[in-house]
Amino acid sequence: MPIVVRIDVELAKRKMSVGEFAERVGLTPANVAVLKNGRAKAVRFSTLEAMCRVLDCQPGDLLEWVEEQENR
């Protein structure tokens, strides 16, 4: 998938655990894992807003577009 979620990078910068992050954002740790592992198909703006508020960052710090490699 060309959109990569960088939650783990932001959590590491802040030395914040997934459990603490999940609690403060209002998600389950399992749902945070789905986001971190790139298995999420969508993210609500309200969830993205909460993640940015908790991590004091911009959406672009959490989401990155990378060009998809073609199989040749």
Side-chain angles (χ1 to χ4, degrees), residues 17-30:
S17 71
V18 170
E20 179 186 354
F21 176 71
E23 184 177 324
R24 291 178 62 186
V25 172
L27 296 173
T28 65

Side-chain angles (χ1 to χ4, degrees), residues 1-8 34-43 45 48 51 59-69:
M1 177 175 273
I3 301 293
V4 177
V5 181
R6 303 273 183 214
I7 294 172
D8 53 345
V34 167
L35 287 168
K36 281 180 50 177
N37 296 328
R39 294 189 318 256
K41 299 293 182 198
V43 178
F45 280 149
L48 184 58
M51 291 189 300
D61 297 327
L62 298 175
L63 304 173
E64 179 184 6
W65 177 82
V66 293
E67 193 164 349
E68 204 165 9
Q69 298 291 323

